[in-house]
Each structure stands twice: as C-alpha cells, then as structure tokens.
Amino acid sequence: MQSFPCPFCGPRPEPEFLFVTEMGKTRPEPAAEVSAPVWAAYLHDVKNIKGEVAEVWQHLPCGQLYLMRRDTTTMAVLGVQSFRKGGAA
Amino acid sequence: MNFTFDGMDLTGRPGDTIAAALLRAQMRIVNRSFKYHRPRGLWGAWVEEPNAILDVTLNGVRTPNCRATTTPLAAGMAIESVNTALTARRDPLAVLDRFARFIPAAFYYKTFLWPSWHLFEPTIRKMAGLGRMDGTQDFVPAAPQRHETAELLVIGAGPAGLEAALAAARAGLDVVLVDDRDTPGGSLIDRAEHLEGQSPADWAAAMISAFRAAGGRYLPATTAFGAYDHGLFLLAQRRDHPAAPALIRLRADRAILATGAIERPLTFVDNDRPGILSLHAGQAYLNRHGVLAGQRIAILSTGDAQTAATQFRAAGAAVEVIEAGEGRAEVEAVHWFARHLRGLTLTDGRRIDCDTILASGGWTPAVHLHCQTGGKLDWREDIQAFVPRADRPQILTIGAAAGTFATDDARSDALIAARGDRPALRAQDPVRKAWPQLGQSRRAWVDFQNDVTVKDVELAGRENMRAVEHLKRYTTLGMANDQGKISNMPGLATMAAIRQVPIPEIGTTTFRPPFDPVSLATLAGPKREALFAPPKRLVLEPLHRAAGALMREYGGWLRPAVYTDVEAEVSAARDHVTLFDGSPLGKIDVYGPDAARFMDFIYYNTMGNLKPGRARYGFLLTEGGIVFDDGILFRLSEYHFSVSCSSSHVDQVANLLDLWRQDQFDPDRVFIQDATPHWATLTLAGPKARALMARLDFGIPLDDAAMPHLSVVQKDGMRIARVSFTGDCSYEISVPARAAAALWQRIVTTGRDFGLALQGVEALAILRMEKGLIFVGKDTDGTTMPHDLGFAAPREKKQVEFVGKRSLFTETASRPDRLQLVGLACQGAPLPVGGHATAPGQPASQGYVTSAAHSPTLGKPIALALIAGGLGRMGEEVEVYHLGQRRRATICPGCFVDPEWERLNA
C-alpha cells in the first residue's frame, strides 16, 4: 500500500485516493465537430508510460484534485501540486 | 508441562516449542508426508520446518496446521499429527509409498481428468489434506490491529540487527526492532557463540537494554511477513495460543533487513527419513532447549562443522563428521529399519552406524522481504546463493541475509548500514557445491512437505515444464506452506543441471507475502461479521422494527423490505395511501452562480431553464454516453439545486459531480455538498395522499396550480416535493433527521382515517415496475444510453455541451438493434429475471428480462426487458429461455398501469 501526499491533507494511505486521468488530456468540444477517432482517443487512449508520469489524482476525503508526478517503475512520488488558484503546492 | 501427542502422555519444559518437547520425548516420527504418507521427523528448528505441521487443541479450541517448531508448548495441549489415517507412527496409508513409481508429479492432472476431477477430489483431499478444522467451533476471536511508524525499521535481532538498531537509536533515529523470536540474539543463541566475553543471551539482553535506553522500540515474537510499497511492512505479533497474532502495519522511512539465512538440506536417497535434521537445527535444539537430537550423530556438512561437533560431544553424544559436497563421497544408502534410523553407507564403502544425521548443504540468505518490494537478486558463485541486489534505495540488507556470514563482519556492516550507507560486498571462502545429482534410480527429496523428489523435477524437465514458474506449478515444488524455504534452491539447481545452464540463468520464482503463514483472523482483524461492510442505518429504524418490518440491505442501506405483505402494500398504494421511508434517496446540494450552467453540463436533459420551485427527471451519463444514474433535479432557488439521485448511488454521483466541477468549472463559483445524511424523507403515495397532506396541514397550498407534479416547496425547515415513483399522486416530505420520528408518528396517527399503510422497498419495486420506471443498474446495463430507454429528445435537440454527448452519436449509439427497454406480457407465473429473449425456436439471444413480478393491480405478470430494437417491435412475440425452459411473451410498452398517467393528478 502506497502513501501519497495530498497537497491539502499531507501523507495519507493509498485507499483514500482515486486515480482520475493522465495529465494533459483536454476534452474535445463541441461534440458536433469532434471526429470519432479523436473522441475515441480521448475516451480510451492511455499512454501507460513506464517511468516518470504526471497524473491527476483525487484525495477522496477532501475531494480535491491535484497533480501528482511519480515514477511507475520505482513507485516513488516525485511531487504534487494543487490545481487551486494560489493553492497549496 | 504435560501434553499429549497422538494420544500419548508426554512432558515438556517451560520455554519448549512443541518441536523441542517432542524431540525431548524422543518422538522421532512426528508426522506423515502429504502424498506418500512416508514417516517424517523434524528437519528444522524454526520457520524453515517442512514436516512438523500439527493440529493443536488447547482449552477446547482446535487450531489446525500449527508449525511445531515455532509454536510454544502450553500445558494441556492435545497435539495430533496430520496426513495420517491413524497416527504418525502407524498409518495404513503408508502403503501408498509402495506405489510411488505410479504416482509421480502431475499424476493427478493426467489421471483424474476423466470424467471429472470433482468425482475424485473429495477422496484425494481427505487422504492429503493437512490439518482438520473443527466444524463445530466458532471463529477464533478477532485479532487486534494497529498502525505504527518509524524512521528506521530493523528486522532481525541477531548480532547484525542488534548492532544496527542500537547504533541508529543512539544516533537519534526513531527505530523499531522486530524479531520473530521471544528473546533476542538470533543465530548466536542457536550456535552458543560468545561475544565480548559474554554468553550470547547476556550480550543480546545488554544490547536490548541499551537500545531501549536510547529510545528504541523492540518488538519480540513478531514476524515481519510482508514488505510493500513506500516502506509499509506487515508484522504479526504472536499472542498466547490459540489467539491469532495481532497485526501491525508499520510504515518506515528506511529499513535494514538482518533476516539471516536458512540452512539447505543435502539431497541424497531417502534424505527425508526421521532422524535426519539440519545441522543448525541440531545445534539450536541443544543450545536453546538442552535437547540432544541423538546419541550417535553423523554430521554431513559442506562447511566447517567442528564447533558443532564439539558441542554435541560435550553433551554426551558420539559424533562422526563427514565432509559432504563436490569431490567427496556421496551417501549411497540410509539404513532405516523398524521405524528407526540405523546408519548410512557412503559411496566410498564406509558404513557409519548412527541414530541421527545432521546435514548441512550450505546457506540460503533470507531475501524474501527484499524481493517482495520488487528487489532483484544477484548470484554469488562463492557461496552458491542469491543475495539482494543494491536496487532498493530505502532498504539495506546486512549479515547472513546479504551473504556475509562471519559475525564480526556482519557487526561492522551493521554500523555502516545504521548510518544509511550500503556496506561493501565481502568475498567469502568458496563453499563446496552440494546440488542434487541427476539420474539416480531411487528417490531423493527436494520438497519434503509436498513430496517432490529429484525424479519429479527430472520428469518436469522431460515434459518441457522447464521454466521455474512451470516447474513450480507442475510438480508443486515450493508450493507448500513453507513456500520452499529449504526446497527452492535444490529444485532450481536440479533444473539448471537438467537444462545444462548456470543456476542464475534459471532464476527464482516470485517471492510474495507472507514470508510465514498468517492466520486469516490476523488479516481480517475486527472487520468481520457485523463489522464487515456494515450497512448504513436509517434514523427511523427503531420505528420500522416496532412496526414489524423485515429489514434487508438495499444498496448499502438497511431498509424495511416489507411490513406485512408486499401485494397488500402495493394495493394500498393504488387504492388509498402509503407511507414509505425514502431517506436514503440522494440529496446533493449544488450551489453557486455557475450552478445552472453546471447542471446543464452534467445532465443529459436541459436543466438550466428549470424555474425555482420546480423539478425535472433526468439522466446523468458517463463520458461514454452510458446511463450512470437517473433521478429528479430540484431547483430550490436561482443558485441552489438539489440532486435527488438513486439511494444506492449517492457517493458515486457526488464524486462524479465534484470531478466535473473541478475539471470544467471554476470551483469558486460552483459548490457541491452531499446533504443526504442530514435529511429524512417520508413519502406519501396514493390517491388519498393529497387529502392526507391537507389534513396534516403543513401550511402550503396543495392545488395543482400552486403545487403541480414536479414541484418543490420549502417551509419551516422542511422540503416538500411533489414527485412520483409509483405513478400516483405522491409527496416527499424531507425534514432534518432529528425531526423524522415525530413526523412519522404524526403521519401514522393522522393517516388512520385514510387507510394509510406502511410500504417497504419490495412493494415500491413492483409499483415502479407497473409504471415502467427503471432502477439504473437493474433495468439498464453497461451499454444502455438514454435513447434506449425512450428518452431521445435531448439527444436530438439539446444544443449545449453535456457529459457524454459525443458518445451518443457514434455508429454504435445509432444502431437500430440496440438493446432497448420494453415491457413483456405473458401468461402464468412471472418471467424469470435474467432469462434471455429469442426469436421463437431460435437459439440466439436478443436481450434479457431485467425485472419481473406479479402485478397485484392488474392481476397478471409483468416484466421489463432490454430487447434488441425492442422499441420498434411492439406486439411481436418472443420466447424467453431460462434453464432449459422456454416461455412465450409479447413485447409491449413498459408502462403497464395507467399509460395515460392520469393517476398522477387524480
């Protein structure tokens, strides 16, 4: 069980966290102008990088989304950052 | 201390393990082997023991499969051998061993295939099932669990671990020292090795005192059995038998593994005979318990055994030391007669009379925890063993676990590791190889507990099960509850010889937790029975129970299923009025200046134009366009909505809203709060609901103009909504939870004049089915889109962007043969839920029944179903296939009762 640092609550055990998405995905809009392949890529394509990744996670007890950089080979957490304006880093 | 073994009265001493007491009582045969029922004795003295797995009854509690070498003896224990038809000494099934050549590895896979393994399984399990449970017994009591942290965790209180722990504690670190023995000292005690002029026990005790004085925490009798990510270690702390060990979850910044090494057996013909022990175990029994393994001892060792021999002689035994391994004579035969070991013959012709053989084939470092965290191993030719690679930044391995066997070297390395530095590799004197020989005509054991011999490994090689993981599963090598602590290395070496490659090319199987078997009670802790997934409880539960409700769990809530009779409750809701506890219904508040725009984006339906005080039914979709939830959205004011989602789905919906809020909106302009537990919701439904509401007199106008269907009023801290899940006029009255009981009583009392009945969840399930109203997840599946449910208008008309929109226009979403929700009419009993619809006489499924019941209102069966292209097939006949039965049914609209919805305003 990993221990992740929530930017708001500090280090907490892994079951309190939800992986949301890989960082950098933008929702394609408006629907009428989005081709099927673009939409399918948005829905289903994940890079699954071996090594350093940037991901969006949610700490469920406080509900906040944040950016977490970690290494998928060593499981090391490299850093976290809040998405809030002027929020905790 | 008196105890019994297989019915014999025996005596042990305080401080004995069961194994030490059995050896003291000269019980040479303590068990039978798993497959061949060969007599077996002790091999080891601690966690490596493969044979002495015994059932122990103490104070009326039977605990199966206790390892004799690690279970402390308690007075009054009744101990029984396992894998035997009678006792360990006399086992009629031993005849199986005569047929061993006919039952090699994989024999069961090949033989009992036809007609079915399940035909043979019970007999085979009975013949080889290890310990027996006492079926009459309750669970053992729950084991406590707790959490700890440390800056440094040191595992193993042998000389290396003690030095490291003390040095780190003195340097100011918060150190926890874990050791699976009751007393510190580790292998020093086994070998009676004096340090600094002190006995090992005194030296270790002094180290512990100093460690504690420096602020260290020492956990004896505690096994670190699992190592996980980010410094998490699971520890099992022994409690008095038969209590299951306590679980400690310890998270450490760093760890030092000083877990020692495990002695390997020598693999010669009949090497499993009782009286053949590990040399180290022989020393441990003598030096820890004062028990001599035998009177005439032959030591067969690949290393230096003179110290041990001297100790045995001093204790009164006759000892002969024989050098074993590469370039030395092999054991040709072990002489076993009348259930006693009589001696051995070597290939050079020597015959040695002895009653005990102590064997040492070298040492295997205990690298389990390092590997569990993903650490790799390096092969060391000098010691013929795998040692941890320096690839775990936060974990250092020292001492014998790292292949550094000399006590002085291990202690100096410990001081380096305590500072956080990695000790350099130390070359060791090369050991003589002693790996199994191929091509022997008789059996030599590799895995004692699972009865795997060299011949079995050779068979696996011939049948191309050559990869280590294949070898393991094909022969069951290393799959017993000792997890191959002594058998894996000889097994790998045998396969290396078969494949004619170096051992490191073969590799090892994966090391997984636990290092040592752990009771399920330890892992479960308090989370079982009532505390295992406890349901949410209604504030009105005492009143429901007083009214005779049968309480059942629905979507995580304990709710009234039925009070009197389901059909009577349905009829009451159609003819008079019912009271239903709808408190679990979601009440997620959404506030803020952007709330209306947010609701438009979140819902499939247009919601932004909803007037304050009004409500609308709608769907929440996933981004894949699939129906995630349905429910009523209330607009309480310009900037305040309340999402009334499914009872079982509140947490998920609240989180879905929050994810979209933070992703697509300014989180300072939309706010979400799940207020469900704050409210209790009492629902009045039926043709007399409005009249009852008038009598209850909440001070609000109830006429259709002021309060039409799909409207909401807030009054005196209450929310009164006119919505309907039954098809009749219906009101949901939500009050703060603390006010619920008084309101319930008032409604029940006032309702008497109106024929009010209490209504449970089961009746609601029929009422909504009669109206074709869905339960998401029951009447929808992972493919259902809103237009499959007949709600196509937003898909065609809603201009603004919303969650899942693009997915509603894919090729798949537009197929005419999508599963669509319809009704099914039939005769006789209700259709089977889950039964598949087919064209008459055809095998191919065209969909399935999602809900079915007998409708008390119509006096006939009704059903909802997802049918391919169903909305365009009204009146068509299908067959419903279920468990070999076929029934005729006709596709019809899902709304069976009052299709014009006139009762809503009646």
Side-chain angles (χ1 to χ4, degrees), chain A residues 1-4 13-14 18 20 27-32 34-36 39 42-43 58 60 62-65 75-77 84-85, chain B residues 147 228-230 232 249 251 392 601 623-624 655 658-664 666-668 801-807 809-810:
Chain A
M1 183 168 56
Q2 302 180 74
S3 171
F4 292 141
E14 184 182 344
L18 178 74
V20 180
R27 189 176 195 271
E29 298 176 353
V34 178
S35 71
W39 187 250
Y42 161 69
L43 285 182
Q58 183 188 27
L60 291 165
C62 75
Q64 295 296 312
L65 299 186
M75 311 310 270
V77 176
R84 296 301 306 262
K85 286 175 281 190
Chain B
H147 295 258
Y228 302 85
D229 289 320
H230 294 181
L232 182 73
R249 295 185 178 89
R251 205 178 282 279
R392 304 282 94 187
F601 178 74
E623 193 73 306
N655 205 52
D658 206 8
L659 291 178
W660 282 119
R661 161 185 170 264
Q662 293 183 60
D663 185 59
Q664 294 283 317
D666 181 345
D668 293 333
E801 200 62 28
F802 59 89
V803 177
K805 184 177 187 182
R806 179 61 184 86
S807 295
F809 297 96
T810 63

Coordinates of all heavy atoms in Angstrom, one line a residue, chain A residues 1-4 13-14 18 20 27-32 34-36 39 42-43 58 60 62-65 75-77 84-85, chain B residues 147 228-230 232 249 251 392 601 623-624 655 658-664 666-668 801-807 809-810:
Chain A
M1 N 0.9 -1.2 0.0 CA 0.0 0.0 0.0 C 0.9 1.2 0.0 O 1.7 1.4 0.9 CB -0.9 0.0 1.2 CG -1.9 1.2 1.2 SD -3.1 1.0 2.5 CE -2.2 0.8 4.0
Q2 N 0.7 2.1 -1.0 CA 1.5 3.3 -1.1 C 1.0 4.4 -0.1 O -0.1 4.3 0.4 CB 1.4 3.8 -2.5 CG 1.9 2.7 -3.5 CD 1.9 3.2 -4.9 OE1 2.7 4.0 -5.4 NE2 0.9 2.8 -5.7
S3 N 1.8 5.4 0.0 CA 1.5 6.5 0.8 C 1.6 7.8 -0.1 O 2.7 8.0 -0.6 CB 2.4 6.6 2.0 OG 2.2 7.9 2.7
F4 N 0.5 8.5 -0.3 CA 0.6 9.6 -1.2 C 0.4 10.9 -0.4 O -0.4 11.0 0.5 CB -0.6 9.5 -2.2 CG -0.4 8.4 -3.2 CD1 -1.5 7.7 -3.6 CD2 0.8 8.0 -3.7 CE1 -1.4 6.6 -4.5 CE2 0.9 7.0 -4.6 CZ -0.2 6.3 -5.1
P13 N -2.9 7.2 3.3 CA -2.7 5.8 2.7 C -3.5 5.8 1.3 O -4.5 6.4 1.1 CB -3.3 4.9 3.7 CG -4.2 5.7 4.6 CD -3.6 7.1 4.6
E14 N -2.9 4.9 0.5 CA -3.4 4.8 -0.9 C -4.9 4.6 -1.1 O -5.5 5.1 -2.0 CB -2.6 3.6 -1.6 CG -2.9 3.4 -3.0 CD -2.1 2.2 -3.5 OE1 -1.2 1.7 -2.8 OE2 -2.5 1.7 -4.6
L18 N -8.0 8.3 -5.5 CA -8.6 7.8 -6.7 C -7.8 8.4 -7.9 O -7.6 9.6 -8.0 CB -10.1 8.4 -6.9 CG -10.8 8.0 -8.1 CD1 -11.2 6.5 -8.1 CD2 -12.1 8.9 -8.3
V20 N -7.5 9.6 -11.4 CA -8.5 10.3 -12.3 C -8.2 10.1 -13.7 O -8.9 9.6 -14.6 CB -8.8 11.7 -11.9 CG1 -9.8 12.4 -12.8 CG2 -9.2 11.8 -10.4
R27 N -10.7 17.9 -23.0 CA -11.9 17.4 -23.5 C -12.2 18.0 -24.9 O -12.3 19.2 -25.0 CB -13.0 17.8 -22.5 CG -14.4 17.1 -22.9 CD -15.4 17.4 -21.8 NE -16.5 16.6 -21.9 CZ -17.6 16.8 -22.7 NH1 -17.7 17.9 -23.4 NH2 -18.6 15.9 -22.7
P28 N -12.3 17.2 -25.9 CA -12.6 17.8 -27.3 C -14.1 18.3 -27.4 O -15.0 17.5 -27.0 CB -12.4 16.6 -28.2 CG -12.1 15.4 -27.4 CD -12.3 15.7 -26.0
E29 N -14.3 19.5 -27.8 CA -15.6 20.1 -27.9 C -15.6 21.0 -29.1 O -14.5 21.5 -29.5 CB -15.9 21.0 -26.6 CG -16.0 20.2 -25.3 CD -16.2 21.1 -24.1 OE1 -16.2 22.3 -24.3 OE2 -16.3 20.5 -23.0
P30 N -16.8 21.4 -29.6 CA -18.1 20.9 -29.3 C -18.3 19.5 -30.0 O -17.6 19.2 -31.0 CB -19.0 21.9 -29.9 CG -18.3 22.5 -31.0 CD -16.8 22.5 -30.6
A31 N -19.2 18.8 -29.5 CA -19.4 17.4 -29.9 C -19.6 17.3 -31.4 O -19.1 16.4 -32.1 CB -20.6 16.8 -29.2
A32 N -20.3 18.3 -32.0 CA -20.6 18.2 -33.4 C -19.4 18.3 -34.3 O -19.4 17.8 -35.4 CB -21.6 19.3 -33.8
V34 N -16.3 17.0 -33.3 CA -15.3 16.1 -32.9 C -15.5 14.8 -33.7 O -16.5 14.2 -33.7 CB -15.4 15.8 -31.4 CG1 -14.4 14.8 -30.9 CG2 -15.3 17.1 -30.6
S35 N -14.4 14.4 -34.4 CA -14.4 13.2 -35.1 C -14.4 12.0 -34.2 O -14.0 12.0 -33.1 CB -13.2 13.1 -36.1 OG -12.1 12.8 -35.3
A36 N -14.9 10.9 -34.7 CA -15.0 9.6 -33.9 C -13.6 9.2 -33.4 O -13.5 8.8 -32.3 CB -15.7 8.5 -34.7
W39 N -12.5 11.4 -30.5 CA -13.3 11.1 -29.3 C -12.9 9.8 -28.7 O -12.8 9.7 -27.5 CB -14.8 11.1 -29.7 CG -15.7 11.0 -28.5 CD1 -16.5 10.0 -28.1 CD2 -15.9 12.0 -27.4 NE1 -17.1 10.2 -26.9 CE2 -16.8 11.5 -26.5 CE3 -15.4 13.3 -27.2 CZ2 -17.2 12.2 -25.4 CZ3 -15.8 14.0 -26.1 CH2 -16.7 13.4 -25.2
Y42 N -9.8 10.2 -26.9 CA -10.0 10.9 -25.6 C -10.6 10.0 -24.5 O -10.2 10.0 -23.4 CB -10.9 12.1 -25.9 CG -11.7 12.6 -24.6 CD1 -11.0 13.3 -23.6 CD2 -13.0 12.5 -24.5 CE1 -11.6 13.8 -22.5 CE2 -13.7 13.0 -23.3 CZ -13.0 13.6 -22.4 OH -13.6 14.1 -21.3
L43 N -11.5 9.1 -25.0 CA -12.1 8.2 -24.0 C -11.2 7.1 -23.6 O -11.1 6.7 -22.4 CB -13.4 7.5 -24.6 CG -14.6 8.4 -24.8 CD1 -15.7 7.5 -25.3 CD2 -15.0 8.9 -23.4
Q58 N -7.3 12.2 -7.1 CA -8.2 12.9 -6.2 C -8.0 12.3 -4.8 O -8.0 11.0 -4.7 CB -9.7 12.7 -6.6 CG -10.7 13.4 -5.7 CD -12.1 13.0 -6.1 OE1 -12.4 11.9 -6.6 NE2 -13.0 13.9 -5.8
L60 N -10.0 11.4 -1.8 CA -11.4 11.3 -1.6 C -11.9 12.0 -0.4 O -13.0 12.7 -0.4 CB -11.9 9.8 -1.7 CG -11.7 9.2 -3.1 CD1 -11.8 7.7 -3.0 CD2 -12.8 9.7 -4.0
C62 N -11.0 14.7 1.1 CA -11.2 16.2 1.0 C -11.7 16.5 -0.4 O -12.1 17.6 -0.7 CB -9.9 16.9 1.2 SG -8.6 16.8 -0.1
G63 N -11.7 15.5 -1.3 CA -12.3 15.7 -2.6 C -11.5 16.4 -3.6 O -11.9 16.6 -4.8
Q64 N -10.3 17.0 -3.2 CA -9.6 17.8 -4.1 C -8.8 17.0 -5.2 O -8.2 16.0 -4.9 CB -8.6 18.7 -3.3 CG -9.3 19.7 -2.4 CD -10.1 20.7 -3.2 OE1 -9.6 21.3 -4.1 NE2 -11.4 20.9 -2.8
L65 N -8.9 17.5 -6.4 CA -8.0 17.0 -7.5 C -6.6 17.7 -7.3 O -6.5 18.8 -6.9 CB -8.6 17.3 -8.9 CG -9.9 16.8 -9.2 CD1 -10.2 17.1 -10.7 CD2 -10.0 15.3 -9.0
M75 N 7.9 3.4 -8.1 CA 6.8 3.8 -7.3 C 7.1 5.1 -6.4 O 6.3 5.4 -5.6 CB 6.3 2.7 -6.3 CG 6.1 1.3 -7.0 SD 5.1 1.4 -8.5 CE 3.5 1.2 -7.8
A76 N 8.2 5.7 -6.7 CA 8.5 6.9 -6.0 C 7.6 8.1 -6.4 O 7.3 8.2 -7.5 CB 9.9 7.3 -6.2
V77 N 7.1 8.9 -5.4 CA 6.3 10.1 -5.7 C 7.3 11.2 -5.8 O 8.1 11.5 -4.9 CB 5.3 10.3 -4.6 CG1 4.6 11.7 -4.8 CG2 4.3 9.2 -4.4
R84 N -5.7 24.5 -7.4 CA -6.4 25.6 -7.0 C -5.6 26.9 -7.2 O -4.4 26.9 -7.1 CB -6.8 25.5 -5.5 CG -7.7 24.4 -5.1 CD -9.0 24.5 -5.8 NE -9.7 25.8 -5.6 CZ -10.6 26.0 -4.7 NH1 -11.0 25.0 -3.9 NH2 -11.2 27.2 -4.6
K85 N -6.4 28.0 -7.5 CA -5.7 29.3 -7.7 C -5.0 29.7 -6.4 O -5.6 29.7 -5.3 CB -6.7 30.4 -8.0 CG -7.3 30.3 -9.4 CD -8.4 31.3 -9.7 CE -9.7 30.9 -9.1 NZ -10.8 31.7 -9.5
Chain B
H147 N -1.5 0.5 13.9 CA -0.6 1.2 12.9 C 0.6 1.8 13.7 O 0.4 2.3 14.8 CB -1.3 2.3 12.2 CG -2.4 1.8 11.3 ND1 -2.3 1.7 9.9 CD2 -3.6 1.3 11.6 CE1 -3.4 1.2 9.4 NE2 -4.2 1.0 10.4
Y228 N 5.9 -4.0 1.5 CA 5.1 -3.4 0.4 C 5.7 -2.0 0.1 O 6.7 -1.6 0.6 CB 3.7 -3.3 0.9 CG 3.1 -4.6 1.3 CD1 3.2 -5.1 2.6 CD2 2.4 -5.4 0.4 CE1 2.7 -6.3 3.0 CE2 1.9 -6.6 0.8 CZ 2.0 -7.1 2.1 OH 1.5 -8.3 2.5
D229 N 5.0 -1.4 -0.8 CA 5.5 -0.1 -1.4 C 5.6 1.0 -0.3 O 4.8 0.9 0.7 CB 4.5 0.4 -2.4 CG 4.6 -0.4 -3.7 OD1 5.7 -0.8 -4.1 OD2 3.6 -0.7 -4.3
H230 N 6.4 1.9 -0.5 CA 6.6 3.1 0.4 C 6.8 2.8 1.8 O 6.2 3.4 2.7 CB 5.3 4.0 0.2 CG 5.2 4.6 -1.2 ND1 4.2 5.5 -1.5 CD2 6.0 4.5 -2.3 CE1 4.3 5.8 -2.8 NE2 5.4 5.2 -3.3
L232 N 6.0 0.2 3.7 CA 5.0 -0.4 4.6 C 5.4 -1.9 4.8 O 5.7 -2.6 3.9 CB 3.6 -0.4 3.9 CG 2.5 -1.0 4.8 CD1 2.2 -0.1 6.0 CD2 1.3 -1.3 4.0
R249 N 0.6 -2.7 11.1 CA 1.0 -2.1 9.9 C 2.0 -1.0 10.2 O 1.6 0.1 10.8 CB -0.2 -1.5 9.1 CG -1.2 -2.5 8.7 CD -2.3 -1.8 7.9 NE -3.3 -2.8 7.4 CZ -4.4 -3.1 8.1 NH1 -4.6 -2.6 9.3 NH2 -5.2 -4.0 7.7
R251 N 4.9 1.7 8.9 CA 5.4 2.4 7.8 C 6.8 3.0 8.2 O 6.8 3.8 9.2 CB 4.5 3.5 7.2 CG 4.8 3.7 5.7 CD 3.9 4.7 5.1 NE 2.5 4.2 4.8 CZ 2.3 3.5 3.7 NH1 3.2 3.2 2.8 NH2 1.0 3.1 3.4
R392 N 17.3 -1.2 -3.9 CA 16.2 -0.6 -3.1 C 16.8 0.5 -2.3 O 17.5 0.3 -1.3 CB 15.7 -1.7 -2.2 CG 15.1 -3.0 -2.8 CD 13.8 -2.8 -3.4 NE 13.9 -2.5 -4.8 CZ 12.9 -2.1 -5.6 NH1 11.7 -2.0 -5.2 NH2 13.2 -1.9 -6.9
F601 N -24.5 21.1 -18.0 CA -23.4 20.3 -18.5 C -23.5 18.9 -17.9 O -23.1 17.9 -18.6 CB -22.1 21.0 -18.1 CG -20.9 20.2 -18.6 CD1 -20.5 20.2 -19.9 CD2 -20.1 19.5 -17.6 CE1 -19.4 19.5 -20.3 CE2 -19.0 18.8 -18.0 CZ -18.6 18.8 -19.4
E623 N -19.0 9.8 -19.6 CA -18.5 10.4 -20.8 C -18.6 9.4 -22.0 O -18.6 9.9 -23.2 CB -17.0 10.8 -20.6 CG -16.4 11.7 -21.7 CD -17.0 13.2 -21.6 OE1 -18.2 13.4 -21.6 OE2 -16.1 14.1 -21.5
G624 N -18.8 8.2 -21.7 CA -19.0 7.2 -22.8 C -20.5 7.1 -23.2 O -20.9 6.3 -24.0
N655 N -19.3 12.3 -6.2 CA -18.0 12.4 -6.6 C -17.9 12.7 -8.1 O -17.0 13.4 -8.5 CB -17.2 11.1 -6.3 CG -15.7 11.4 -6.2 OD1 -15.3 12.3 -5.4 ND2 -14.9 10.7 -6.9
D658 N -18.3 16.3 -8.4 CA -17.1 17.0 -8.0 C -16.0 17.0 -9.0 O -15.3 17.9 -9.2 CB -16.7 16.5 -6.6 CG -15.9 17.5 -5.8 OD1 -15.9 18.7 -6.2 OD2 -15.4 17.2 -4.7
L659 N -15.8 15.8 -9.6 CA -14.8 15.7 -10.6 C -15.0 16.6 -11.8 O -14.1 17.4 -12.2 CB -14.7 14.2 -11.1 CG -14.1 13.2 -10.1 CD1 -14.1 11.8 -10.8 CD2 -12.7 13.6 -9.7
W660 N -16.3 16.7 -12.3 CA -16.6 17.6 -13.4 C -16.5 19.1 -13.0 O -16.0 19.9 -13.7 CB -18.0 17.3 -14.0 CG -18.0 16.1 -14.9 CD1 -18.7 15.0 -14.7 CD2 -17.2 15.9 -16.1 NE1 -18.4 14.1 -15.7 CE2 -17.5 14.7 -16.6 CE3 -16.3 16.7 -16.7 CZ2 -16.9 14.1 -17.7 CZ3 -15.7 16.2 -17.9 CH2 -16.0 15.0 -18.4
R661 N -16.9 19.3 -11.7 CA -16.8 20.7 -11.2 C -15.4 21.2 -11.2 O -15.1 22.3 -11.7 CB -17.4 20.7 -9.8 CG -17.0 21.9 -8.9 CD -17.5 21.7 -7.5 NE -16.9 22.7 -6.6 CZ -15.8 22.5 -5.8 NH1 -15.3 21.3 -5.8 NH2 -15.4 23.4 -5.1
Q662 N -14.5 20.3 -10.7 CA -13.1 20.8 -10.6 C -12.4 20.8 -12.0 O -11.4 21.5 -12.2 CB -12.3 19.9 -9.7 CG -12.7 20.0 -8.2 CD -11.9 19.2 -7.3 OE1 -10.7 19.4 -7.2 NE2 -12.6 18.3 -6.6
D663 N -12.9 19.9 -12.9 CA -12.2 19.8 -14.2 C -12.7 20.9 -15.2 O -11.9 21.5 -15.9 CB -12.5 18.5 -14.8 CG -11.7 18.3 -16.1 OD1 -10.5 18.3 -16.1 OD2 -12.4 18.0 -17.2
Q664 N -14.0 21.2 -15.2 CA -14.5 22.0 -16.2 C -15.1 23.4 -15.7 O -15.5 24.2 -16.5 CB -15.7 21.3 -16.9 CG -15.3 20.0 -17.7 CD -14.6 20.4 -19.0 OE1 -15.1 21.2 -19.8 NE2 -13.5 19.7 -19.3
D666 N -15.2 26.7 -12.6 CA -14.4 27.4 -11.6 C -14.9 27.0 -10.3 O -16.1 27.2 -9.9 CB -14.7 28.9 -11.8 CG -13.9 29.8 -10.8 OD1 -13.4 29.2 -9.8 OD2 -13.9 31.0 -11.0
P667 N -14.1 26.3 -9.5 CA -14.5 25.7 -8.2 C -14.9 26.8 -7.2 O -15.4 26.4 -6.1 CB -13.4 24.8 -7.8 CG -12.2 25.3 -8.6 CD -12.7 25.9 -9.8
D668 N -14.6 28.0 -7.5 CA -15.1 29.1 -6.6 C -16.5 29.6 -7.0 O -17.0 30.5 -6.3 CB -14.1 30.3 -6.6 CG -12.8 29.9 -6.0 OD1 -12.8 28.9 -5.2 OD2 -11.7 30.4 -6.4
E801 N -23.2 21.8 -24.8 CA -22.3 20.6 -24.5 C -22.8 20.0 -23.2 O -23.2 20.7 -22.2 CB -20.9 21.1 -24.4 CG -19.8 20.1 -24.5 CD -19.8 19.4 -25.9 OE1 -20.2 20.0 -26.9 OE2 -19.4 18.2 -25.9
F802 N -22.8 18.6 -23.1 CA -23.0 18.0 -21.9 C -22.2 16.7 -21.8 O -21.7 16.2 -22.8 CB -24.5 17.7 -21.7 CG -25.2 16.8 -22.8 CD1 -25.2 15.4 -22.7 CD2 -25.7 17.4 -23.9 CE1 -25.8 14.7 -23.7 CE2 -26.3 16.6 -24.9 CZ -26.3 15.3 -24.8
V803 N -22.1 16.1 -20.6 CA -21.3 14.9 -20.4 C -21.8 13.8 -21.3 O -23.0 13.5 -21.2 CB -21.2 14.5 -18.9 CG1 -20.4 13.3 -18.7 CG2 -20.7 15.7 -18.1
G804 N -20.9 13.2 -22.0 CA -21.3 12.0 -22.8 C -21.9 12.3 -24.2 O -22.2 11.4 -24.9
K805 N -22.1 13.6 -24.5 CA -22.8 14.0 -25.7 C -22.3 13.3 -27.0 O -23.0 12.7 -27.7 CB -22.8 15.5 -25.9 CG -23.7 16.0 -27.0 CD -23.7 17.5 -27.1 CE -24.7 18.0 -28.2 NZ -24.6 19.4 -28.3
R806 N -21.0 13.5 -27.2 CA -20.4 13.0 -28.4 C -20.6 11.4 -28.6 O -20.8 10.9 -29.7 CB -18.9 13.3 -28.5 CG -18.2 12.8 -29.7 CD -18.8 13.4 -31.0 NE -18.1 12.9 -32.2 CZ -18.5 11.8 -32.8 NH1 -19.5 11.0 -32.3 NH2 -17.9 11.4 -34.0
S807 N -20.6 10.8 -27.4 CA -20.7 9.3 -27.5 C -22.1 8.9 -27.9 O -22.3 7.7 -28.3 CB -20.4 8.7 -26.1 OG -19.1 8.9 -25.7
F809 N -23.6 9.8 -30.5 CA -23.7 9.9 -31.9 C -22.7 9.0 -32.6 O -22.4 9.2 -33.8 CB -23.5 11.4 -32.3 CG -24.6 12.2 -31.8 CD1 -24.4 13.0 -30.6 CD2 -25.8 12.3 -32.4 CE1 -25.4 13.7 -30.1 CE2 -26.8 13.1 -31.9 CZ -26.6 13.8 -30.7
T810 N -22.1 8.0 -31.9 CA -21.2 7.1 -32.6 C -22.1 6.1 -33.5 O -23.3 6.0 -33.3 CB -20.4 6.3 -31.6 OG1 -21.3 5.5 -30.8 CG2 -19.6 7.2 -30.7

